[in-house]
Amino acid sequence: MSDETPGDSERAEEAKLGSEIADHSTEMSSILGDAYRGELDRETTWRSRLDQTTTWGVTVVAAILTWAFSSGDNPHYIILVGILALSFFLFIEARRYRDYDVYRSRVRLFQQNLLADALDPSVGVEHEDWRSKLSRDYRTPTLKVSTWEATANRLRRIYLPLLAVLLVAWLFRITAFAPNESLLATATIAVVPGTLVVAAIALYYIAAIIIALWPRERHAKGEFREGDPGTWKEDENDNDRQ
């Protein structure tokens, strides 16, 4: 009498099917090719979503600056509203970046260990267990980067320069348009004293800089590496002369 359950039998059949596919290079190549194209499409989709959020941020900054400097009667705190709007876009983009990195990581596994090895087998694969890693990630998809790392990445790449533009614009707005008043006096918003406004903005920017520049272990799957950008062209020129 067998102790095997229907579930055990089904899992055994699935394992046998997977083993048969893995043993046939043609079928495996077709599956991996389809999987790579699918992951590349997902990566491109999430990349476009990141760009879309950045476009929103740039558009809002341009619109707010245009309105803020169109008349001396317009309140300066509209620029501070722009800083809050950029912070909201930063939060959205950090979340999207974490999803984008999942698919970028899978694409890089394919590129580093399948495509690169097929083009030049003498170097070998980047990760000996890359198929096991990819299998585990397909079985249990996980985010690869933390919210802090994603936020720091988007700050360094996009949002810190935009926030710096708004800060400079705000300082210019409260000083150039009221040359006879002190900075703290012109920074006042309704009943909120200028001292409190300036202190809050200073703390916000200090926090943003710390988040962006704080040293941490990088978990995002980087694609580009530092190197001599002319090496590729020099190699091509050498081949042309031969």
Side-chain angles (χ1 to χ4, degrees):
M1 184 174 179
S2 176
D3 294 334
E4 186 177 293
T5 64
D8 293 335
S9 177
E10 183 177 346
R11 284 192 291 271
E13 292 179 0
E14 291 173 352
K16 181 179 179 182
L17 176 61
S19 178
E20 290 176 351
I21 292 176
D23 291 339
H24 291 77
S25 59
T26 302
E27 293 182 10
M28 194 63 181
S29 298
S30 177
I31 290 174
L32 290 177
D34 290 339
Y36 175 70
R37 285 190 292 271
E39 297 299 340
L40 192 61
D41 180 68
R42 283 176 157 183
E43 180 194 12
T44 303
T45 299
W46 279 100
R47 175 72 256 184
S48 66
R49 292 181 179 180
L50 288 178
D51 294 339
Q52 186 181 51
T53 313
T54 302
T55 302
W56 294 346
V58 173
T59 302
V60 167
V61 168
I64 285 179
L65 291 181
T66 300
W67 190 82
F69 288 97
S70 63
S71 172
D73 296 329
N74 293 334
H76 67 85
Y77 57 78
I78 189 64
I79 299 178
L80 303 183
V81 173
I83 294 176
L84 293 177
L86 268 188
S87 302
F88 177 68
F89 292 141
L90 171 62
F91 172 74
I92 294 176
E93 190 158 325
R95 292 186 61 185
R96 290 183 173 183
Y97 180 81
R98 298 184 73 195
D99 291 316
Y100 161 73
D101 182 74
V102 171
Y103 304 111
R104 182 177 64 172
S105 298
R106 293 175 181 174
V107 167
R108 289 299 293 150
L109 274 178
F110 278 113
Q111 292 174 342
Q112 290 176 314
N113 303 285
L114 181 62
L115 300 183
D117 190 56
L119 293 171
D120 186 8
S122 63
V123 179
V125 297
E126 188 77 14
H127 308 91
E128 293 292 339
D129 59 341
W130 70 274
R131 287 173 60 175
S132 298
K133 288 183 176 180
L134 193 58
S135 174
R136 288 195 298 270
D137 198 51
Y138 277 137
R139 294 176 189 276
T140 311
T142 57
L143 295 170
K144 310 298 185 295
V145 297
S146 66
T147 301
W148 285 110
E149 182 179 350
T151 303
N153 179 282
R154 304 326 292 165
L155 273 171
R156 290 193 302 269
R157 295 292 181 89
I158 302 293
Y159 287 88
L160 207 55
L162 290 178
L163 289 170
V165 169
L166 288 179
L167 177 62
V168 172
W170 180 73
L171 291 174
F172 181 80
R173 178 65 179 75
I174 63 176
T175 54
F177 281 60
N180 298 324
E181 298 184 35
S182 67
L183 183 146
L184 294 179
T186 55
T188 301
I189 301 175
V191 296
V192 181
T195 304
L196 184 59
V197 173
V198 172
I201 294 174
L203 289 175
Y204 174 88
Y205 276 86
I206 290 172
I209 293 172
I210 290 175
I211 292 174
L213 302 181
W214 189 268
R216 59 173 59 83
E217 183 181 357
R218 177 179 168 83
H219 294 285
K221 193 69 173 178
E223 184 166 346
F224 297 108
R225 296 290 184 267
E226 294 294 333
D228 185 1
T231 302
W232 181 291
K233 295 180 180 179
E234 291 175 0
D235 292 342
E236 286 184 337
N237 293 332
D238 292 339
N239 293 332
D240 291 340
R241 286 194 293 267
Q242 291 178 355

